[in-house]
Structures are given as structure tokens and as C-alpha cells.
Amino acid sequence: MYDILQQDIKFLPGVGPRRKDILSKELDINTFGDLLEYYPYKYVDRSKVYRIGELAGDMPFVQIKGHVLGIEEFEMGPRRKRIVAHISDRTGVADLVWFRATQYAQHKLKAGLEYIVFGKPTVYNGRYQFAHPELELASEVELSEMGMQPYYITTEKMKNAGLTSRTIEKLTKNMLERINKPLPETLPPFIANRLRLVSRDKACRSIHYPKSLDELQHAQLRLKFEELFYVQLNILRYASDQRRKFRGYIFKHVGDNFNRFYHDNLPFELTNAQKRVIREIRIDTRSGRQMNRLLQGDVGSGKTLVALMTMLIALDNGYQACIMAPTEILAEQHLNTILEFLNGMDIRVELLTGMVKGKRRQQVLDGLADGSVQILVGTHAVIEDWVQFRNLGMVVIDEQHRFGVAQRAKLWSKSQNPPHVLVMTATPIPRTLAMTIYGDLDVSVIDELPPGRKPVVTIHKYDNQTTSLYNGIRQQIRQGRQVYIVFPLIKESEKMDLQNLEEGFATLLEVFPEFKLSKVHGRMKAKEKEEEMKRFVSGETQILVATTVIEVGVNVPNASVMVILDAQRFGLSQLHQLRGRVGRGADQSFCILVTSHSLTEVTRKRIDIMCDTNDGFRIAEADLKLRGPGDLEGTQQSGMAFDLKIADIARDGQIVQMARDEAQMIVDGDPLCQKEENMMLWNRLRELRKTNINWAAIS
């Protein structure tokens, strides 16, 4: 990379120390190279000039050209004034208006001179006007060179320092004029030529100053591909290294534990999807390489059963197994589910969480060390140094997005070879996102529900339809069913007009005096919460009023109604997870989404999607498109937000796949990173890893 790209941004004319400090703090722009990679977020075609007689009130931003006929100044109160300039191009007259920056307008405008004006036309008093337009003297602008004008995202602090989008545009243009040699290539000719990508130099210049839409699209393709290609190359190289370095335990046979469970304890026939996944796991565990597999499956699709049968194969080959969950409630549910499945089988299963203390904890630790504990169910406590297994061969991790790569790697120190790893998630992940978040894992999908499960019927109601809602709840409870009612908050928030759980609970006690209610929220003590949950699970209470603490970890087959109040405040992923708490028995279940009438377009789309489909993968794809990858449940909140500068995982799925395919070919053909023709790639990857991009989180 040229030395000029490493040059401090303060030396670029127009920046200086003060503006450099703001650019650094607000956008992390410190060098010429950083500014070069600060890409516009939109473009406006500045090549066309409209006549005033062609204007319409519903037009977007346009430009006109005309002579200033005169300038007027109007007092607007103490220390405030309004500047109005009248401009004509012989087809009509328009007004240019400034309420702010009036000194700028007075300095810039001269009667009789011709200007190019850029702004959004509106109609006021029967005449078109432009409020706070951009101005250029027509004599100083060559219209044929204007092309597509870039727009850059700026912050309030930047604007206060004069660093507007237009300023960034001018600084970038000034910098590009100083870079008088072509920028060095970062992709070898055999990739660029095969995919018909423009040069990096051409792309970097055109992305800031495209002369046409076609030129812009070629620049975007080149830069998006390059960014995604190096992300995928990093992930695949990492996965290849892991497979080469670490041999896995070989599970040679399926034995008594698996076969007895399959023939005597299996509660229902496996779905074809479950059988397919077990076959994929079986191939991995006898291959001699360590398994790293992601198991995706919707709520209620039978992932836990597949995980248990996988652990039984480990036991049949003389190894211990463990399953880890992100919360104590979920760990306890896994324990109860496994014990129920293994009823009558001579297999020791134990729990290890923060709640297991004293003598009981020591018994579990001793059992792990001597091998008598065959299956351990636990939380993150399992990876602590003082937990030692005799021969751990299989690890199942539930809800991977709460359990990172570094934590997963700690498990490898628990045995001679790293154990096989099966990662489970009930949050369906779009393929393009899975390729990037979980790129080092092979992916299996359970895309069928067990027989007898009926899809949950989802209904949208407005908050003024409570009478029919309450009648529906009564009808279900009288048929012997139970109901969840979910509130978004525990206590009233001054910032958001939400129903709060405390007041809501009191109201519901009055509405349903004939029924018993439980209340659960995140601020209750663990024992209190557990007691209330047990009352609901046992059927002692008919209605559970809760916050989103019930999103995971509650399995009540008798519950048939999920009411979500203020549903507009929840993301698609969260709504889908909450809906998954019902529909777990044989009865028809319902999810009622209650909202106010005033919904944004995006929120209305979310509600419509929930009512249209129960398919978690379709919902996840929609969520990704509506919200973006950095805002998805379990990504941004868990430190997996992407530092991508131009590519968009949600909208650039085809480019992600193209980048993945090219990266796979490189890694397959050069696993040791030694071939001369690939040196540019491996050197560039090393260079990128020194940047502030969060490569570890991405892989």
C-alpha cells in the first residue's frame, strides 16, 4: 500500500488537528486510507438540469440553473431573519429560502449572476421554493463532470465543526487528486479477470465519483466482493487449519445405549430431517477428524432428541458427553428432558450450575473425574478450569450466539484430543449470515416438525379489542388449556408509553377473578421465579403473566395461547421465539399479537410476516432484510456485529456466495498457504488482520 494512504489525515488541506480529532472520534478516520474507505451511503444524479417550468411538488432532489433576479431579507424576531432569493430561467421563477445559515446565503448570493441550485422543490404561495439549497456559480461548474453526487453519513458533532456530507465529498476529491499513481491491486488477476471485476484503483475512485449508474455498480461489485472474499478466506483458512491440526476421537460403533434407547425409549418415530442429521453426525464422528457442526432447527423440531442420541453414541464408545445451556433455567429443562427420555436406562446424568453447591457439587466433580458421570448438563460453569473430565468426547452447546469461539476453544483443554462439538440454535439463521457468523462450522438443518404438531395460528389484534381477546382466553382455559400473557417491561418507563407488568397484572386479576395467575420477570429472585414457574407447569395456575424471560426454557405442552402485548416493540426473532412456547402439545394453539393502531411501515410488515408464516427460516430472512445483520437478536448484543464497510450481508447474498466459492477454491488448492500465485492473498489477509476489524468475532 502506498505510503500516502498511511499519511495522517490532519495533513490533508481542509482538515487540520481539530477536525482530525473529530473524524477520529466520530468515524475512526485517522489516515488517507481510512477516508478512502469511508464510502457514500447514497448518490443523487447531478447530470440533469431541470427547467423551472418542468418542476413538480412531489419531485425528489433536483437541480435547476438560473439568474438571481433579487434578494430580500425579512426580520423573524430577535436576532433571527429569513433570506429569500428569486431565481429565473425564462420558463418561470422560483424562490430560494434560508432560515438558518443566512450569513452564508448573503455571502454566496449576488443579484444578476447565474447559479446552479440543488435541493427539493416544494410549493408555497403558488410558487416553487427550495429551502436551504446547495449553490454553485454556474461559471465554476462543468455540468458534464458532475455525474452522481455522493452523500456521506455525518454526525451532529461533525456538522457543528463544518464537516458536512459536502465537506467530506470535497476532502475525498482533494485526497484522490493527490494520489497520482494507481492504487495497488489486492486481488490476483486470475480472480479479477474470471469474475470481470474492475481494478481496485478504478473501483475506489468510481465509488466516490461515479459518472454513471453503470460505473457505480461495477465499483460496488468489486469492493463488496473483495470485502466479503477476505472475510470468507479468513473463516475457511481457520476452519482448514483446525481440521488439519486436531484429530477427533473415532466413534467406531453404535452400541447398546443407542440401540436400547432407539428400540425401547424413543417416544415417537424420528422425522426424516432428524434421521438425516443423525447420519451426518455419524459420518463426522467416525471420520477421524473433529466434528464442528451447527444444528439449526425451529422451536419444537426435536433438536434435543438428536443431541441426546449423539451423546449416546459417545457413551457407546467409552466417552463422556456434556450439554451446555446459556441459562440455569434452560440447563434444568435439558436435565429433566434427558432424564425423562432415559427413564429406566442405567446412565448417570448430573447437573452442574451455580446453584449446585457444597457436597453435591463435589460429588459431581468427583464423578466427572473418575468417569462415573456419563452425561453432564450445565451452564458456562462447565468450562471452568476446576472442572475435569476423565474422557470427554462429545460436547453439545445450546444457543451458540451466547457462547463464543474463544469459550468453545476452552473445552479442548478438557481432554487429550478436542471433543466433537455439536452447536444447536433455535434461532433460524439465514444462509448468508450462517456462512459468516458460523463459517467454521458445518451446517445441519431440521426443517420438519414431529408428527402430530399443528402449526400455531397467529392473529393480530389492536389494543381496543380487549373484550374479544379476554373472551377467547376464557374459552381456552375452560377447555382445560393454559395461557401466557407477555409484557415488554417490568416497571413503567417514562420514555416509552408501554403497558407495564405490575399494573397489567393487577388489571388481569380483576378481569379473570375465576382463574389463578402466576407472575414471572427477570428481577425476581431465582427461587421465587422457579416457584411461580412450577405452579404454572403443574397446572395450579392457568395464566402466566411474564416478561420475555420465558423466551427460552419453558416447556408446557398444555399451554395453547400466547398473548404478546405491545408486540410492535419486539423484533421478529423474539416474536417467533415467544410463539414457540405454545404449540408443543397436540391441541391447536394460538399466538395473539396486540398492538396500537399507529404502526410504522416496517412494524406492520413484521406483524404481517408473523401472521403469514410459521417458517423460522423465512422469518429470519425477513428479519435480516428489515433490520440488518448488526441488529439481529444474538448478533450485535453478543459482540458479533460486523465491521463491513460496504457489503451488506442481507442484500448481497449472491456476492457472499460468490466470495465463499472463490475462497473455498483457494483454501482447497493451497491449504498450507504456500503457493506463489496466492501470496498476494495471504499477505493481504495478514495485513487486514492487523486492522481494527473484529476478525475473531466474524470467524
Side-chain angles (χ1 to χ4, degrees), residues 411-598:
L411 288 162
W412 299 349
S413 64
K414 300 289 181 187
S415 58
Q416 188 177 351
N417 286 337
H420 296 296
V421 176
L422 180 67
V423 169
M424 301 195 301
T425 179
T427 308
I429 304 153
R431 192 161 172 271
T432 52
L433 197 59
M435 265 192 267
T436 309
I437 296 182
Y438 303 123
D440 62 320
L441 304 177
D442 299 312
V443 180
S444 291
V445 178
I446 301 180
D447 49 11
E448 292 177 72
L449 288 178
R453 288 280 177 93
K454 295 176 183 174
V456 178
V457 174
T458 304
I459 300 163
H460 177 206
K461 282 187 177 289
Y462 292 108
D463 50 17
N464 62 353
Q465 297 175 301
T466 51
T467 304
S468 66
L469 173 64
Y470 294 155
N471 288 338
I473 289 173
R474 281 193 185 89
Q475 189 179 354
Q476 286 289 307
I477 296 175
R478 283 170 184 154
Q479 290 174 13
R481 316 281 180 260
Q482 289 169 278
V483 176
Y484 296 102
I485 299 179
V486 176
F487 286 79
L489 286 184
I490 298 168
K491 290 190 176 177
E492 189 173 2
S493 165
E494 292 177 0
K495 293 182 181 177
M496 293 185 287
D497 180 26
L498 299 180
Q499 300 177 63
N500 72 80
L501 185 141
E502 298 293 354
E503 285 185 7
F505 185 71
T507 301
L508 290 168
L509 285 172
E510 293 175 11
V511 171
F512 298 111
E514 70 271 42
F515 303 131
K516 291 183 179 175
L517 282 69
S518 289
K519 177 176 65 175
V520 174
H521 58 74
R523 293 183 193 169
M524 290 169 70
K525 290 179 180 175
K527 193 170 181 184
E528 271 184 288
K529 198 182 338 181
E530 191 177 332
E531 284 172 2
E532 286 294 293
M533 296 290 285
K534 280 179 180 173
R535 290 177 68 212
F536 185 67
V537 171
S538 68
E540 183 186 337
T541 57
Q542 291 82 44
I543 300 174
L544 177 62
V545 181
T547 57
T548 55
V549 292
I550 61 155
E551 187 183 340
V552 293
V554 183
N555 183 15
V556 185
N558 192 49
S560 65
V561 180
M562 167 64 70
V563 178
I564 304 173
L565 301 173
D566 285 310
Q568 71 272 15
R569 302 290 184 182
F570 296 83
L572 267 176
S573 173
Q574 207 170 27
L575 290 173
H576 182 61
Q577 288 287 314
L578 287 167
R579 178 168 64 183
R581 296 300 105 208
V582 296
R584 303 174 82 85
D587 300 307
Q588 180 62 64
S589 292
F590 302 89
C591 177
I592 317 296
L593 305 176
V594 182
T595 73
S596 61
H597 276 274
S598 56

Side-chain angles (χ1 to χ4, degrees), residues 245-257:
K245 287 176 188 172
F246 299 107
R247 289 196 59 75
Y249 293 119
I250 298 175
F251 295 172
K252 291 181 180 177
H253 63 277
V254 174
D256 290 343
N257 287 308

Side-chain angles (χ1 to χ4, degrees), residues 306-374:
V306 168
L308 174 59
M309 295 176 77
T310 299
M311 291 190 285
L312 292 177
I313 296 173
L315 270 57
D316 282 337
N317 287 271
Y319 295 97
Q320 293 165 292
C322 103
I323 180 167
M324 300 177 57
T327 66
E328 292 191 355
I329 289 180
L330 194 51
E332 288 173 16
Q333 182 177 310
H334 279 315
L335 176 73
N336 294 331
T337 302
I338 289 170
L339 289 173
E340 195 176 321
F341 276 139
L342 296 178
N343 185 34
M345 294 181 67
D346 186 21
I347 295 174
R348 185 178 173 191
V349 184
E350 293 287 1
L351 178 71
L352 186 62
T353 68
M355 299 290 287
V356 180
K357 299 187 187 314
K359 187 178 177 183
R360 185 76 192 122
R361 171 176 287 246
Q362 194 56 51
Q363 288 173 343
V364 173
L365 294 176
D366 291 345
L368 291 172
D370 65 25
S372 60
V373 172
Q374 294 157 284

Side-chain angles (χ1 to χ4, degrees), residues 59-191:
M59 278 182 165
F61 282 73
V62 297
Q63 62 187 0
I64 59 173
K65 183 166 76 165
H67 287 84
V68 171
L69 302 176
I71 304 162
E72 294 184 89
E73 184 178 312
F74 299 91
E75 294 297 328
M76 299 280 291
R79 302 172 67 181
R80 290 184 62 207
K81 58 185 173 182
R82 170 168 55 104
I83 301 294
V84 180
H86 311 292
I87 188 169
S88 171
D89 66 356
R90 295 183 181 176
T91 70
V93 177
D95 293 337
L96 315 180
V97 185
W98 284 267
F99 302 95
R100 303 183 306 274
T102 50
Q103 286 183 321
Y104 158 83
Q106 286 174 311
H107 173 75
K108 190 87 174 172
L109 289 165
K110 298 284 187 294
L113 294 182
E114 189 178 34
Y115 291 86
I116 291 171
V117 176
F118 180 71
K120 181 167 177 30
T122 56
V123 179
Y124 181 72
N125 283 343
R127 184 184 282 185
Y128 287 105
Q129 74 169 21
F130 293 80
H132 301 96
E134 292 182 19
L135 286 178
E136 300 280 357
L137 271 171
S139 59
E140 295 177 359
V141 176
E142 183 63 53
L143 280 171
S144 61
E145 293 179 359
M146 292 192 76
M148 311 277 288
Q149 182 176 340
Y151 279 75
Y152 301 83
I153 291 173
T154 55
T155 67
E156 203 58 42
K157 283 185 180 177
M158 290 173 65
K159 287 171 186 166
N160 291 339
L163 285 166
T164 62
S165 171
R166 195 63 191 271
T167 310
I168 299 291
E169 179 194 342
K170 288 176 179 176
L171 290 174
T172 307
K173 188 172 187 179
N174 186 1
M175 178 189 68
L176 283 169
E177 286 169 355
R178 289 166 177 266
I179 302 173
N180 49 24
K181 292 180 183 176
L183 293 165
E185 261 307 331
T186 47
L187 291 174
F190 68 84
I191 291 181

